[in-house]
Amino acid sequence: MLFRTLILQASALPFVKRFVRESRLFRPIVRRFIAGETLDDAMSAATSLVDEGFRVSLDLLGENVATLEEAHAATAAYQQVLDRIAGSPQREMINISIKLTALGLDQGDEVAEANYRDLLQTASKSGTFVRADMEASEYTARTVEIVERVHRSFANTGTVLQSYLYRTDSDLERLIAAGIRVRIVKGAYLEPPEVAFPEKTDVDAKYLEQAKKLLLRGHYPAIASQDELLINRILDFVEARGIEKDRFEFQMLYGIRRDLQHRLLAAGYRVRIYIPYGEAWYPYFSRRLAERPANLLFITRSLLHK
Ligand SMILES: Cc1cc2nc3c(=O)[nH]c(=O)nc-3n(C[C@H](O)[C@H](O)[C@H](O)COP(=O)(O)OP(=O)(O)OC[C@H]3O[C@@H](n4cnc5c(N)ncnc54)[C@H](O)[C@@H]3O)c2cc1C
């Protein structure tokens, strides 16, 4: 947890941001986590993964836009993604993940909600599912409320809950009762102990408990993690309870634990790979670095060997 805090704090410093964004030295590791900068790059990664048997979710990177114009531009860019998906022979295997702060949540709930509804309108024509990612805790309540409201008109949407937040048990019950699809994750943002468990062991225990609840009572839940020990415990639970393999899916991030992604697929489970792409890759990249000291060692090694 200390490592994560340090990396997230350091990555917010302007000179670090500039160095990482501009230095070519970081390109190989950036490319490991991010499919590329264009929609063509993302679709090409998606096609290969779907050919292998995976499902995918496209995430056009970008968050916390500063103006209404940027929010509309992000919405328009997502409309193009939906058009490409609609025209793809693999469309049933592809969906999208969006961030409400990219659609204008900082400019007002009504701005983000209107843009989100526009996307859902388009997506419903091709039967595409749209998931609202969960962002920092200052947005949790508003995201849950917006998703609940919008879900009354559009069944093709759902959201994400983070096990590190104290409030998640109650949000989980609320979303299960509303019939809303949930992706359960541990949580990727820097949160204070007033709102989130500071200890990883508590987060892991909550994750397992909440994943089991979703598997028993949720609506096509997504179990999103790279944690092999937790995934093994979930597999034991699924087998012991006789939960059918088409009642849920595993989700994992592009470029992380590909061995585990293939192992689950080979065992007959549904596995969706979350494919981030776009020019605004820096915040996503920092969160991935902060999750694992080994990623930083990898970078240090490549810097030393250049
Ligand atoms: C499909 C998907 C969607 C997500 N959506 C959201 C979201 O909407 N909101 C949100 O807050 N978070 C989201 N996350 C991120 C999540 O909250 C965690 O930060 C992230 O998944 C790391 O947690 P973990 O469950 O893999 O377990 P950890 O305990 O962090 O990791 C377990 C093991 O996984 C491997 N691993 C994990 N991360 C990395 C990495 N970056 N590089 C290399 N190996 C790694 C390592 O082997 C590590 O030991 C998402 C994650 C996934 C998989």
Side-chain angles (χ1 to χ4, degrees):
M1 286 290 182
L2 179 64
F3 172 82
R4 187 154 158 248
T5 310
L6 285 176
I7 296 298
L8 289 175
Q9 279 173 350
S11 66
L13 299 171
F15 76 91
V16 175
K17 255 189 215 173
R18 205 171 42 248
F19 178 62
V20 175
R21 276 213 209 108
E22 287 169 14
S23 166
R24 294 171 65 86
L25 296 172
F26 284 90
R27 293 295 140 145
I29 188 152
V30 171
R31 278 311 292 253
R32 192 186 136 194
F33 295 126
I34 288 135
E37 296 206 341
T38 65
L39 178 55
D40 282 342
D41 294 333
M43 285 305 284
S44 137
T47 305
S48 313
L49 287 164
V50 173
D51 284 344
E52 288 180 59
F54 292 104
R55 285 145 213 272
V56 298
S57 189
L58 301 182
D59 170 31
L60 170 56
L61 293 167
E63 49 200 82
N64 294 104
V65 297
T67 63
L68 280 178
E69 290 68 33
E70 285 179 59
H72 293 312
T75 310
Y78 259 120
Q79 294 282 9
Q80 284 178 7
V81 180
L82 289 170
D83 289 344
R84 278 290 284 276
I85 296 174
S88 161
Q90 298 176 323
R91 66 181 160 274
E92 283 177 16
M93 307 293 266
I94 311 178
N95 69 27
I96 63 169
S97 293
I98 55 142
K99 284 190 174 52
L100 289 180
T101 67
L103 304 188
L105 196 56
D106 289 334
Q107 286 66 46
D109 289 18
E110 57 301 335
V111 176
E113 183 172 332
N115 287 333
Y116 182 23
R117 282 179 184 272
D118 283 351
L119 292 180
L120 285 168
Q121 187 74 51
T122 308
S124 58
K125 291 184 202 141
S126 55
T128 304
F129 185 79
V130 177
R131 189 175 305 264
D133 282 349
M134 191 56 80
E135 303 178 66
S137 61
E138 62 189 286
Y139 300 111
T140 312
R142 292 155 72 195
T143 301
V144 169
E145 278 156 26
I146 292 174
V147 172
E148 263 183 342
R149 244 188 338 263
V150 161
H151 184 263
R152 291 185 204 122
S153 323
F154 296 98
N156 57 326
T157 196
T159 189
V160 181
L161 292 177
Q162 298 151 323
S163 298
Y164 63 12
L165 294 186
Y166 303 136
R167 58 172 288 153
T168 291
D169 278 333
S170 98
D171 286 335
L172 193 74
E173 290 305 327
R174 187 167 156 181
L175 294 181
I176 290 177
I180 296 175
R181 278 161 64 168
V182 173
R183 171 201 295 153
I184 187 79
V185 300
K186 290 187 190 174
Y189 296 81
L190 199 54
E191 299 291 357
E194 290 74 34
V195 300
F197 294 101
E199 299 298 329
K200 181 170 160 46
T201 47
D202 293 328
V203 180
D204 289 355
K206 267 291 167 204
Y207 185 93
L208 192 60
E209 184 189 313
Q210 290 160 348
K212 287 179 179 176
K213 267 191 206 162
L214 283 168
L215 287 164
L216 292 176
R217 299 192 283 115
H219 307 273
Y220 194 69
I223 310 299
S225 175
Q226 280 81 223
D227 187 334
E228 190 164 15
L229 288 178
L230 269 183
I231 289 177
N232 286 341
R233 294 183 68 181
I234 286 165
L235 291 175
D236 291 344
F237 180 76
V238 163
E239 278 167 31
R241 295 301 183 104
I243 297 168
E244 284 145 27
K245 289 177 173 163
D246 60 358
R247 296 234 352 256
F248 69 98
E249 61 186 36
F250 285 107
Q251 294 190 351
M252 297 179 72
L253 300 176
Y254 180 80
I256 300 181
R257 291 300 313 263
R258 292 190 202 120
D259 56 333
L260 185 53
Q261 299 172 0
H262 280 102
R263 189 191 124 200
L264 292 170
L265 193 67
Y269 290 98
R270 293 183 173 187
V271 184
R272 188 177 301 275
I273 309 298
Y274 181 100
I275 304 183
Y277 77 97
E279 288 171 19
W281 48 262
Y282 185 77
Y284 176 89
F285 178 68
S286 316
R287 292 195 288 273
R288 300 292 79 82
L289 282 191
E291 272 155 9
R292 200 163 172 248
N295 289 336
L296 215 61
L297 288 178
F298 175 83
I299 291 178
T300 316
R301 259 203 314 271
S302 32
L303 293 178
L304 290 176
H305 292 298
K306 286 275 164 188

